[in-house]
Amino acid sequence: MTRSVVIVNGVPASGKSTISRYIVSGLLARDLGAVPLGLDTIKEALYPELGIGDREHNRMLGRASYAAIFNTIAEFPDELVPVVDAWHGFQPRSVLEAHLTAARVSKVIEVWCSVSPEVARRRYLQRDRHPGHPPASYADELKELASKAEAFGDFGPVIKVDAEAPPDDNIVERIFAELRSSTARAT
């Protein structure tokens, strides 16, 4: 059996969590065992135990949460489809590659949440952030990041989503079709 994963990728405030929930719901409606795994969900659960710190502390918790996600995926039965909501570009590409290999993932579908730099900045300023995340001043840095960020594109098919528009069923249909195809990533 092929172990598949859907990575929902995009800069912070690009709409990944909204798209991820839509994907999980749509795959479950098609009788696929989709499981949501969000980097911020795990990281925010760690704050009460490990504390809120500076930017490097936040990054350390992000790295730990990212590893926890893929260690968890390694224990899943192949029939489950993890939908991983994270800004996958926060670390070198090689880190994701190593996690995918360790989790024995043979098929990756990348959903790229495309958002304009100004929308990412505005959303970041408007969102109710956990105090462990970077402060509002990060919004200007995020705007710059959003102007350069792009999908990995080399782990498998990339489905680009206009994350400024409401999600539509075409996203789920494309993922469903990719999950059913026989192509796998090179390991």
Side-chain angles (χ1 to χ4, degrees):
M1 180 132 229
T2 299
R3 173 167 289 177
S4 301
V5 65
V6 176
I7 62 171
V8 181
N9 196 5
V11 299
S14 63
K16 296 180 302 297
S17 296
T18 299
I19 298 295
S20 293
R21 285 190 294 274
Y22 190 83
I23 291 168
V24 168
S25 176
L27 293 177
L28 288 172
R30 288 161 179 79
D31 293 325
L32 280 176
V35 179
L37 294 166
L39 184 78
D40 283 349
T41 302
I42 294 171
K43 189 163 63 167
E44 290 172 8
L46 296 176
Y47 289 136
E49 299 300 322
L50 301 175
I52 295 169
D54 61 10
R55 190 80 177 269
E56 186 48 43
H57 181 77
N58 184 49
R59 289 179 177 135
M60 179 270 303
L61 290 178
R63 291 188 302 270
S65 299
Y66 203 57
I69 285 171
F70 287 97
N71 286 353
T72 301
I73 291 170
E75 298 298 319
F76 282 177
D78 290 347
E79 297 77 29
L80 291 180
V81 178
V83 178
V84 182
D85 162 10
W87 162 226
H88 295 276
F90 82 103
Q91 297 183 108
R93 177 197 178 287
S94 60
V95 172
L96 176 57
E97 178 71 36
H99 285 318
L100 292 169
T101 299
R104 300 179 327 280
V105 172
S106 53
K107 182 174 212 152
V108 177
I109 301 164
E110 181 178 6
V111 176
W112 177 253
C113 296
S114 178
V115 65
S116 72
E118 190 51 50
V119 167
R121 180 184 181 283
R122 186 184 71 232
R123 284 180 180 173
Y124 193 80
L125 289 171
Q126 291 173 344
R127 79 177 2 168
D128 184 26
R129 290 180 310 280
H130 185 286
H133 292 292
S137 60
Y138 175 67
D140 291 328
E141 184 180 333
L142 175 59
K143 183 177 176 183
E144 176 67 22
L145 176 64
S147 72
K148 298 183 277 186
E150 53 189 34
F152 283 117
D154 56 352
F155 289 111
V158 176
I159 298 171
K160 293 186 178 180
V161 174
D162 176 0
E164 294 180 31
D168 64 54
D169 209 40
N170 183 46
I171 300 164
V172 178
E173 286 302 322
R174 290 177 62 196
I175 292 168
F176 189 76
E178 290 293 347
L179 288 168
R180 294 295 181 216
S181 77
S182 62
T183 58
R185 79 180 186 95
T187 54

